[in-house]
Amino acid sequence: MNDNVIDGRAVAQEVRDRVKREVAELVDSGGPQPGLATILVGDDPASQVYVRSKHEKSREAGMQSFNHTLPADTPQDEVADLIVQLGDDDSVHGILLQLPVPDQLDSDALIALIDPLKDVDGLTPTSAGLLALGKPSMVPATPSGCMDLLRAADTQIEGADAVVIGRSILVGKPMHQLLLAANATVTHCHSRTRDLAGHVRRADIVVAAVGVPRMITGDMVKDGATVIDVGVNRTDEGLVGDVDFDSVAPRARAITPVPGGVGQMTIAMLLVNTLEAARRQAGVAVARRG
Ligand code: NAP
């Protein structure tokens, strides 16, 4: 691996090892064993792989994991009932609704039913609002992982010009908030942006979360920029990112590969959030008893 390639696998392994140690400490000190519940509606093969992997990694970290797989034609009220039921279940500290859901379901309405204390995906209006206000909150796992990768690469974030491309609630918007909170000057680009290349060329930090294979090319990137590629695109040549690695890597100070970059961090940060959720709920329970 070249010196400037950020090794997401290694950083994610460190995070998972740390979570495993801290889960053991929490349990040893009389705290709860963190529990993660996932809800998968339908049989989308990619979602099945993601959910399986979330369970494997949470068990490896010493957590309990509960999977609820529902048929693709499950009506809204049944999924809603399950979310409410998991919210009342003391052994469940984190609830994750695997997205995307089938068309008959209103994912926004379902997400809004997740108890904010158990919102390990950070997608509820409460979590998103707290993040926007700069208050402690559950942060979506992927952008949170991007911040860890920037730090692992010793990136100067404070005062840096950062460009985020993509404005989804899952990645782009929380990424913007996190960079802003870390005192970067953030420019946000999307499909209606005029002169995307011009914005990207001025950036010290580039985060691409678009879903268009290799759209960020070497001629668009300033020498010495740090480039985080969130994109996961399945092509005939295999998985590729939103960044054209071959032309961008020679110019970048540091760059994440696809695969082996951001994707590795997403599950690791989900475990961080589940542990944090268990700690907060244990704290809330103690406060209620006291
Ligand atoms: P999304 O909801 O489809 O959002 C894509 C964003 O890109 C939108 O804001 C869209 O702009 C913008 N966009 C589309 N075409 C563009 C263009 N030509 N120029 C500039 N902006 C453009 O996607 P997402 O959920 O954020 O995911 C983005 C990528 O990250 C996907 O490849 C996804 O698979 C990947 N991903 C990876 C992980 C991981 O763990 N590694 C996690 C989540 C997502 P508008 O808002 O104007 O439409």
Side-chain angles (χ1 to χ4, degrees), residues 50 142-143 165-172 188-193 196 208-212 215 229-234 240-242 261-267:
Y50 289 139
T142 301
I165 312 144
R167 54 178 167 179
S168 69
I169 57 163
L170 195 62
V171 190
H188 211 146
C189 300
H190 44 78
S191 68
R192 316 292 164 84
T193 297
L196 176 71
V210 187
V212 177
M215 70 173 289
D229 189 353
V230 183
V232 177
N233 306 291
R234 287 177 173 77
V240 301
D242 293 340
V262 173
Q264 296 291 318
M265 293 299 287
T266 297
I267 294 182

Side-chain angles (χ1 to χ4, degrees), residues 21-194:
R21 274 196 311 276
E22 293 184 10
V23 167
E25 283 165 18
L26 180 67
V27 173
D28 285 351
S29 65
Q33 182 181 15
L36 173 67
T38 58
I39 303 170
L40 173 62
V41 190
D43 48 17
D44 175 61
S47 293
Q48 285 174 334
V49 172
Y50 289 139
V51 166
R52 206 176 309 132
S53 190
K54 285 167 188 175
H55 286 282
E56 264 172 36
K57 298 289 187 242
S58 54
R59 285 196 209 107
E60 279 170 24
M63 300 181 178
Q64 295 197 80
S65 77
F66 312 94
N67 181 30
H68 297 266
T69 301
L70 305 175
D73 59 357
T74 306
Q76 179 88 5
D77 56 351
E78 272 185 38
V79 187
D81 287 349
L82 176 58
I83 292 174
V84 172
Q85 188 189 313
L86 294 171
D88 292 335
D89 184 339
D90 288 343
S91 60
V92 171
H93 303 93
I95 302 172
L96 184 147
L97 176 65
Q98 183 67 37
L99 301 174
V101 292
D103 289 346
Q104 81 276 10
L105 298 177
D106 175 350
S107 60
D108 287 348
L110 292 171
I111 288 167
L113 291 171
I114 295 174
D115 178 343
L117 279 173
K118 300 189 177 188
D119 176 24
V120 285
D121 244 354
L123 293 179
T124 60
T126 303
S127 300
L130 288 170
L131 182 63
L133 291 171
K135 307 270 186 207
S137 64
M138 284 289 166
V139 178
T142 301
S144 180
C146 293
M147 292 302 286
D148 267 22
L149 291 176
L150 284 171
R151 293 192 192 98
D154 292 326
T155 311
Q156 169 72 36
I157 303 176
E158 182 162 328
D161 286 322
V163 160
V164 177
I165 312 144
R167 54 178 167 179
S168 69
I169 57 163
L170 195 62
V171 190
K173 281 183 182 159
M175 190 71 224
H176 182 136
Q177 301 291 352
L178 291 172
L179 285 165
L180 193 61
N183 296 318
T185 301
V186 188
T187 301
H188 211 146
C189 300
H190 44 78
S191 68
R192 316 292 164 84
T193 297
R194 278 184 280 138

Side-chain angles (χ1 to χ4, degrees), residues 268-279:
M269 302 317 283
L270 174 68
L271 302 183
V272 169
N273 281 353
T274 306
L275 172 59
E276 178 59 20
R279 282 193 181 123

